[in-house]
Amino acid sequence: DGPVIIVGAGHGGYQVAASLRQAGYANRICLINDEAHLPYQRPPLSKAYIKGSAGPDSLMFRPEKFYQDQNIELISGRAVSIDRAARKVLLASSETLPYGHLVLATGARNRLLDLPNANLPDVKYLRILDDSESLRQIMPTKKRAVIIGAGFIGLEFASTARIKGLEVDVLELAPRVMARAVTAEVSEYFQERHREAGIRIHLGVQATSIEAEGGKVTGVSLSDGRHLPADLVVVGVGVLPNIELAAEAGLPVAAGIIVDEYLATADPNISAIGDCALFASPRFGGSLRLESVQNATDHARCLAARLTGDKKPYDSHPWFWSDQGEDKLQISGLTTGYDRVVLRGDPAKKAFSAFCYHGDRLLGIESINRAGDHMFGRRLQAMDRSITPEQAADESFDLKSALA
Ligand code: FAD
């Protein structure tokens, strides 16, 4: 019992606070927010928000009144240390907050590019609202963007920059785009679609230096000796989980803050959720750290349930999406470890799904412009069922029959 203090007001932090109140938690809830905005949604930062003209309010989960009505104390500031013995969090402002339970929802931060000139103003990253806002403002003044990293965020930004009329080059060290996350079939589809849109994708290369004159970026040199002119560089080379607060408090960390299947750290009064948490997963075996809205919000709901007396291990099924140009990619399940991919639909018709199998076991589905297949995948996995690779490949097989 006692107050619940939540460090980090992103997707996970916001949702714990909201779910606790929904479940009738009556004690004090403080949400420590180190960004200068009300808690907001991150996915549009590289999608609709950066394309459009809507103001920051369009991104907020809830207006300010919600926090007042729900008696959720939004505290502007940064947590700098945890005194576990005294159960207190210290803020940068020197304020201390006592807790009954502490939730670490600190998310992740961008991995920074370690190259000369990488800190010039024309070298941008995309993680927080201020990054997106700044890119939105400078894009109309730029002609040529080089994007370093062909992951989801790099490619989402690349398609937007192209739609806005910029020349766009994307650099990727791996032999295909989004290589860590999707099948070769889906990578190839997107490579082709981005190329059709006029985006130049360079695979198997890395940036070796950023050139500048008078503090302005002029181009990027590549490991294969080429040089690409640019007046804007956007870096999307992955993130690092924010584990330092936990580590300095003596909590076990590895590639994330280590938590068990209930999302509890080694200290029963402290839990960690979302992008920063490396959680034990009985379903998938071993430990996982996922970076998705689904993961952060479902972690939050699971934790809020535990803190209000409904203790269950975290066992939600992963899903994800990415919008690139006119294409919508949706992923259900966790496709790592597949040894067979079966296509349903036709890439040439710009609508297909890659069903990923390990043996005859369906691990997950990557759908492009096939929302029905995606929803089918989510419902099927919720029922712990599978369909055979032959059924998946056969368009005349009625997917609904597998859900009956
Ligand atoms: P975050 O939302 O990152 O929130 C953590 C918060 O904690 C941040 O505000 C941080 O500043 C704060 N914080 C950290 N340390 C402290 C401290 N010491 N004191 C106080 N505050 C602190 N996922 C999808 O599923 N689909 C998408 O399409 C998608 N698109 C994305 C596009 C972009 C541009 C980005 C950046 C991410 C995208 N994601 C997407 C990923 C998704 O947004 C994250 O997985 C999700 O935000 C994780 O939620 P979280 O609460 O764990 O962390």
Side-chain angles (χ1 to χ4, degrees):
D1 273 2
V4 174
I5 307 293
I6 304 161
V7 182
H11 281 265
Y14 157 77
Q15 190 62 51
V16 182
S19 295
L20 279 172
R21 282 292 183 248
Q22 224 169 8
Y25 182 81
N27 213 321
R28 185 178 188 199
I29 300 176
C30 299
L31 188 51
I32 304 173
N33 180 13
D34 73 345
E35 295 191 54
H37 305 278
L38 286 174
Y40 62 87
Q41 303 168 56
R42 243 171 255 293
L45 299 183
S46 51
K47 306 179 181 71
Y49 189 76
I50 207 163
K51 247 183 247 168
S53 55
D57 287 357
S58 64
L59 298 175
M60 304 311 167
F61 295 119
R62 298 297 183 113
E64 196 159 7
K65 188 170 180 308
F66 169 82
Y67 301 92
Q68 290 156 2
D69 291 351
Q70 295 291 314
N71 198 14
I72 294 169
E73 293 173 50
L74 259 183
I75 298 180
S76 282
R78 213 178 144 67
V80 291
S81 70
I82 304 165
D83 179 343
R84 284 170 52 198
R87 286 205 215 161
K88 281 181 182 157
V89 182
L90 175 69
L91 304 189
S93 63
S94 301
E95 187 183 351
T96 54
L97 293 169
Y99 62 82
H101 199 89
L102 179 66
V103 182
L104 301 175
T106 50
R109 61 180 180 276
N110 287 311
R111 190 186 285 276
L112 302 181
L113 201 62
D114 185 19
L115 286 179
N117 289 328
N119 50 7
L120 287 175
D122 293 332
V123 180
K124 300 282 186 195
Y125 291 82
L126 200 38
R127 175 82 198 172
I128 60 171
L129 175 48
D130 299 351
D131 296 335
S132 184
E133 191 65 52
S134 140
L135 272 168
R136 193 159 88 160
Q137 274 169 21
I138 65 164
M139 249 196 306
T141 70
K142 301 293 179 192
K143 293 198 166 54
R144 300 189 67 116
V146 168
I147 289 138
I148 302 180
F152 294 116
I153 290 172
L155 292 177
E156 287 177 1
F157 177 75
S159 32
T160 301
R162 188 70 195 127
I163 290 165
K164 295 277 181 193
L166 277 75
E167 292 284 319
V168 179
D169 290 274
V170 178
L171 311 183
E172 172 57 53
L173 185 56
R176 59 185 178 87
V177 301
M178 300 178 282
R180 279 189 311 133
V182 300
T183 55
E185 286 79 355
V186 169
S187 292
E188 273 156 32
Y189 174 82
F190 276 99
Q191 281 160 204
E192 191 47 41
R193 292 286 284 156
H194 289 306
R195 281 179 181 140
E196 277 168 19
I199 295 170
R200 292 175 290 264
I201 298 182
H202 311 272
L203 300 170
V205 288
Q206 57 182 323
T208 51
S209 69
I210 296 171
E211 280 81 46
E213 262 175 47
K216 293 219 169 276
V217 167
T218 56
V220 177
S221 292
L222 314 191
S223 48
D224 61 7
R226 281 182 298 158
H227 175 83
L228 302 173
D231 53 9
L232 174 65
V233 173
V234 176
V235 185
V237 294
V239 297
L240 298 169
N242 292 322
I243 59 174
E244 291 73 11
L245 194 61
E248 282 157 20
L251 295 169
V253 297
I257 303 170
I258 296 176
V259 293
D260 64 13
E261 67 269 40
Y262 299 100
L263 310 171
T265 66
D267 180 333
N269 302 311
I270 306 179
S271 301
I273 60 167
D275 281 14
C276 69
L278 182 68
F279 62 99
S281 172
R283 172 175 297 277
F284 295 108
S287 296
L288 291 178
R289 193 181 69 77
L290 298 176
E291 293 160 14
S292 74
V293 166
Q294 172 279 322
N295 181 65
T297 22
D298 285 347
H299 270 180
R301 292 188 179 112
C302 174
L303 175 59
R306 168 157 65 86
L307 297 178
T308 50
D310 182 13
K311 181 176 178 180
K312 288 197 190 93
Y314 178 74
D315 193 30
S316 297
H317 294 274
W319 58 268
F320 185 81
W321 78 99
S322 173
D323 300 335
Q324 299 177 26
E326 287 164 11
D327 294 305
K328 187 168 198 79
L329 167 66
Q330 292 168 296
I331 303 175
S332 63
L334 209 58
T335 52
T336 30
Y338 64 85
D339 54 20
R340 182 169 177 194
V341 177
V342 176
L343 294 192
R344 185 177 178 90
D346 184 359
K349 293 192 176 138
K350 303 186 177 72
F352 71 103
S353 292
F355 284 62
C356 301
Y357 285 88
H358 182 75
D360 276 346
R361 193 162 56 90
L362 181 62
L363 302 179
I365 307 174
E366 298 165 357
S367 303
I368 290 148
N369 305 324
R370 298 257 299 197
D373 289 358
H374 175 70
M375 289 316 296
F376 164 76
R378 285 170 56 182
R379 291 178 63 194
L380 192 75
Q381 64 190 8
M383 298 167 94
D384 273 327
R385 290 190 190 166
S386 189
I387 60 169
T388 67
E390 293 68 32
Q391 288 169 328
D394 177 4
E395 283 260 48
S396 69
F397 173 75
D398 180 13
L399 295 179
K400 282 197 206 87
S401 66
L403 300 171

